[in-house]
Amino acid sequence: MTLRSVAVALVSIPALLAVAVSAQGQSPIRLRARSFVPPANLHGRQGTTERRSSASRSVAQPARRHLLIQFDGPVTAADLAALRAAGARPLRYVPENTVAVAAGPAFDPAAVPRARWSGELEAGDRLSARSARDLARRFPAYPLTIVEFHPDADAAFVSERLAAAGTARAGRTALPPYMAAIPSDRLPIERLSADTSVAWIFPATTEVMAGGALICEGQLSPQGLVASYATVGEGWDGGGPGSARLSYFLQNGSADLAVAPQHAEVVRALTEWSRHADVDW
């Protein structure tokens, strides 16, 4: 085992420890900003098929819709096929039992047999906690912010939506075509958080902008990539934002390396983790 393989193994720790806990009755939709159990609103049930915030209504929205569709139980291959047959394109998985889709105006979620609820992300669901804190500062700690659109967006569409919000790409970066780095200006970011074609907004770290760090496109699940604005399970500290104190120990290290550098690499990785999450080791 090399130091690199030790670091790679550490990346898998969150996936192994994050356990999806089913709620009593219907499972919640787990977003980074909040978890909620939506009332059923399809197939003759009470409610409306979409929930849109007042901020979203104040922004000119593209004709293409981006919806969350929650099913009565785990998402299956048949459910994904039913979405496609009804005219929707599955994009990302959202725990629990939910798929983010792109669809035209004619798409009717009630045409999907096991779908129980359809709705939209709210503006606050698209803005990461770090970006929200950054915007509250007089001088942002991160001069640039990354805006991630839903993955069906191409570079031309992204440029169009950025211009509509009053901003543009800042420099050349090795980001996927559906992402863009923009200056951390309050008004354009607030407008983009209300844009239904935007999925997630987060700070652009120095490492990312320098090309020395990769952008993770999402955790892989049996249902596909997990949306970047979603989370799996309640975390170590239970529901909602909070902190956690975790312990670790080393066992059966590599015989190819001395113990000290192996231990140092683990500590370095855990320390880096603590820089970005409220976790104390």
Side-chain angles (χ1 to χ4, degrees), residues 13 55 75 85 117 135 158 173 175 187-188 200-201 207 216 224 233 237 241 269:
I13 292 176
V75 178
W117 177 84
L135 292 182
V158 169
T173 59
L175 295 173
L187 186 56
W200 188 236
I201 299 173
E207 293 83 1
C216 178
D237 59 322

Side-chain angles (χ1 to χ4, degrees), residues 206-253:
T206 303
E207 293 83 1
V208 168
M209 298 311 299
L214 298 177
I215 293 288
C216 178
E217 294 199 61
Q219 178 180 333
L220 188 62
S221 75
Q223 295 82 7
L225 284 174
V226 176
S228 51
Y229 50 82
T231 184
V232 179
E234 293 285 9
W236 298 295
D237 59 322
S243 61
R245 174 163 292 185
L246 305 177
S247 299
Y248 71 95
F249 68 94
L250 303 178
Q251 184 178 7
N252 298 332

Side-chain angles (χ1 to χ4, degrees), residues 175-201:
L175 295 173
Y178 59 88
M179 293 186 187
I182 64 170
S184 295
D185 296 335
R186 176 185 301 277
L187 186 56
I189 291 175
E190 287 179 346
R191 289 172 176 166
L192 287 164
S193 71
D195 188 328
T196 60
S197 60
V198 172
W200 188 236
I201 299 173

Side-chain angles (χ1 to χ4, degrees), residues 36-279:
F36 65 101
V37 178
N41 61 10
L42 299 177
H43 305 301
R45 294 156 173 166
Q46 276 193 322
T48 58
T49 58
E50 293 183 30
R51 180 179 169 203
R52 194 176 286 186
S53 68
S54 58
S56 297
R57 287 194 296 268
S58 67
V59 177
Q61 300 296 333
R64 185 188 312 159
R65 295 187 296 166
H66 292 91
L67 303 173
L68 301 181
I69 309 294
Q70 189 182 50
F71 289 88
D72 278 320
V75 178
T76 66
D79 294 328
L80 298 177
L83 284 170
R84 295 186 183 97
R89 175 184 170 185
L91 299 175
R92 292 289 188 263
Y93 173 62
V94 179
E96 305 285 338
N97 309 337
T98 305
V99 179
V101 304
F107 170 65
D108 180 7
V112 182
R114 287 201 325 127
R116 67 174 296 274
W117 177 84
S118 171
E120 293 179 347
L121 291 173
E122 295 187 352
D125 299 332
R126 303 183 182 99
L127 190 62
S128 70
R130 281 199 297 158
S131 281
R133 288 195 298 268
D134 206 26
L135 292 182
R137 299 164 59 102
R138 184 174 179 183
F139 299 103
Y142 301 92
L144 297 179
T145 294
I146 293 178
V147 181
E148 177 185 343
F149 288 76
H150 290 284
D152 58 316
D154 58 22
F157 179 83
V158 169
S159 296
E160 173 192 319
R161 300 311 298 170
L162 294 179
T167 189
R169 285 184 175 86
R172 296 170 61 99
T173 59
L175 295 173
Y178 59 88
M179 293 186 187
I182 64 170
S184 295
D185 296 335
R186 176 185 301 277
L187 186 56
I189 291 175
E190 287 179 346
R191 289 172 176 166
L192 287 164
S193 71
D195 188 328
T196 60
S197 60
V198 172
W200 188 236
I201 299 173
F202 58 99
T205 63
T206 303
E207 293 83 1
V208 168
M209 298 311 299
L214 298 177
I215 293 288
C216 178
E217 294 199 61
Q219 178 180 333
L220 188 62
S221 75
Q223 295 82 7
L225 284 174
V226 176
S228 51
Y229 50 82
T231 184
V232 179
E234 293 285 9
W236 298 295
D237 59 322
S243 61
R245 174 163 292 185
L246 305 177
S247 299
Y248 71 95
F249 68 94
L250 303 178
Q251 184 178 7
N252 298 332
S254 171
D256 300 329
L257 295 170
V259 173
Q262 294 183 63
H263 186 212
E265 180 64 14
V266 171
V267 171
R268 183 203 63 77
L270 297 181
T271 301
E272 180 66 18
W273 193 349
S274 294
R275 288 181 56 207
H276 304 286
D278 199 356
V279 176

